[in-house]
Amino acid sequence: MMNMVIKRRQTREVNVGSVRVGSAAPIVVQSMTNTDTADIDKTLEQILALSKAGSEIVRVTVNTAEAAQSLPVIVKELRRQSCTTPIVGDFHFNGHKLLTEFPECAKALDKYRINPGNVGRGSKRDEQFATLIALAVQYDKPIRIGVNWGSLDQEMLARFMDENAKQANPLSIEELTRQALIASALDSAKMAHQLGLAEDKIILSCKVSGVQDLILVYRDLAQRCDYPLHLGLTEAGMGSKGIVASSAAMGILLQEGIGDTIRVSLTPEPNGDRTLEVRVAQELLQTMGIRAFTPMVTACPGCGRTTSTYFQELADDIQTFLRDSMPVWRTQYKGVENLHVAVMGCVVNGPGESKLANIGISLPGSGERPVAPVYVDGEKTVTLKGDSIAAEFKSIVINYIQNKYQ
């Protein structure tokens, strides 16, 4: 079922280091560090963690001379440790200076992210933008022109507002802002191409923080260009709010075939795990049937029939075990990411869901016999009981993987 559900919008293809971006390639999951890039050890540690979690592109802030000097060291160490994940430099305000003054940084990065609203003001804007593009051409690097409505080019917006005020039926401020975002992205891409950057070196994004606004902006942008598009709800928020908002917005666009790279921009909890945003992006793509990253676990929500927490603990144990094993399994067992496991809590839906999975177990609910039938590819193979159900079921899963995926 994977890669058969949704017809992707046709775009150019852009190579970002070893990763292909565009409609001919799988949708790419990416993330961004939140460390001080000048802190080599912490930044290196976080990039490696994000990469291990499945981030296929990692973006880092380049805002100071110290950060620019640290990047070549970080990239060299990543490659020494066999981490091939492309590293993207995120530039605002002084990118033209940093890339010029630190050519080793310019060479080490796999892509530059440029925000047209933060390149410069007045007459300096075009000059500083041209410097960034000249450097991208010189070092043969792709760019992402990333427009954000929190930092939209104010001169362009003022122009749009003046012109809008003269219309018989002026647009609302929301619609006007959306049109200015798109114009900023497309005009910047056109300028970059006129300055010598090939069109297959350009990726666009127009990020907003409202779900409906994001959907409207990307639908319009997708109709007006064939550049690959990076999706993301900017400032999505913390916890469940950020996850739900990002999933709602990007899920609709992905279903319509729009989007070539995605990021779930979660505000981390204090001392929280940065890799959560990677897992959410993967799970969004996987639950939609677009890509597979790790075996999926189906588990019931529980009810009065499942007063024991045993099935919840087993489902969590199996899901954690599968995800933690994937970095090794991915290199040993081709296709293992498509495995489907069911851990169910009672006889109501347990046997049915278990039969639909590759491997499923139906644990006893309240008042049921204390036995757990196991189904493999739709057939009941064994009934487990006693205190070792979890260990025995895990062994069945491992044996299935070793025999099925070679």
Side-chain angles (χ1 to χ4, degrees), residues 80-348:
R80 190 190 71 79
Q81 296 190 37
S82 301
C83 176
T84 60
T85 303
I87 305 301
V88 179
D90 192 60
F91 295 98
H92 299 271
F93 311 113
N94 61 351
H96 60 292
K97 289 183 179 179
L98 293 175
L99 287 173
T100 300
E101 293 174 9
F102 301 97
E104 293 306 311
C105 174
K107 295 175 187 176
L109 290 167
D110 293 289
K111 185 176 73 173
Y112 310 152
R113 187 269 179 147
I114 304 170
N115 183 338
N118 290 339
V119 169
R121 296 287 184 265
S123 60
K124 291 185 177 180
R125 179 197 178 280
D126 288 352
E127 176 187 343
Q128 291 170 185
F129 183 80
T131 298
L132 286 165
I133 300 305
L135 289 162
V137 172
Q138 179 182 349
Y139 296 112
D140 194 29
K141 305 293 183 179
I143 65 168
R144 171 160 69 92
I145 295 172
V147 185
N148 191 309
W149 75 352
S151 52
L152 181 59
D153 185 335
Q154 293 303 300
E155 293 177 14
M156 171 177 281
L157 182 59
R159 248 187 354 262
F160 268 60
M161 293 180 71
D162 289 344
E163 294 171 1
N164 187 55
K166 300 173 185 177
Q167 303 301 314
N169 297 299
L171 302 174
S172 67
I173 186 62
E174 292 81 10
E175 187 172 356
L176 186 71
T177 302
R178 292 195 295 268
Q179 291 303 314
L181 281 165
I182 294 168
S184 178
L186 294 177
D187 288 354
S188 297
K190 182 179 179 180
M191 186 182 301
H193 182 53
Q194 290 173 341
L195 289 167
L197 189 66
E199 290 185 313
D200 63 359
K201 295 287 187 182
I202 300 172
I203 297 171
L204 300 184
S205 66
C206 284
K207 290 190 175 183
V208 299
S209 56
V211 170
Q212 297 296 340
D213 288 301
L214 191 82
I215 294 166
L216 292 172
V217 165
Y218 273 91
R219 279 176 175 166
D220 196 350
L221 181 60
Q223 292 179 349
R224 294 168 63 176
C225 74
D226 63 356
Y227 293 112
L229 301 181
H230 169 67
L231 297 187
L233 190 74
T234 192
E235 289 94 38
M238 298 180 72
S240 59
K241 184 269 178 185
I243 293 171
V244 170
S246 293
S247 299
M250 290 194 286
I252 290 171
L253 291 168
L254 291 168
Q255 185 66 30
E256 295 177 3
I258 298 171
D260 302 286
T261 78
I262 67 169
R263 181 192 173 200
V264 177
S265 301
L266 296 179
T267 303
E269 303 286 345
N271 300 312
D273 185 356
R274 189 65 165 181
T275 63
L276 174 61
E277 65 177 46
V278 179
R279 296 198 300 275
V280 172
Q282 290 178 329
E283 288 167 4
L284 173 61
L285 292 174
Q286 185 150 352
T287 54
M288 292 185 68
I290 296 172
R291 286 190 66 184
F293 297 92
T294 193
M296 291 287 285
V297 177
T298 296
C300 67
C303 66
R305 289 176 174 268
T306 56
T307 52
S308 168
T309 60
Y310 190 84
F311 89 94
Q312 301 165 352
E313 293 163 357
L314 179 58
D316 181 64
D317 183 31
I318 292 296
Q319 182 163 275
T320 301
F321 168 68
L322 293 172
R323 181 172 287 280
D324 290 348
S325 299
M326 275 305 293
V328 174
W329 284 355
R330 193 176 289 114
T331 64
Q332 295 179 339
Y333 305 114
K334 184 177 181 181
V336 67
E337 65 274 7
N338 295 303
L339 177 70
H340 179 194
V341 178
V343 179
M344 303 299 293
C346 80
V347 75
V348 173

Side-chain angles (χ1 to χ4, degrees), residues 350-351 354 360-364 371-375 380-384 393:
S354 296
I361 185 169
S362 180
L363 294 164
V371 297
V374 175
Y375 298 82
K380 181 179 174 181
T381 59
V382 67
T383 298
L384 305 180
F393 184 66

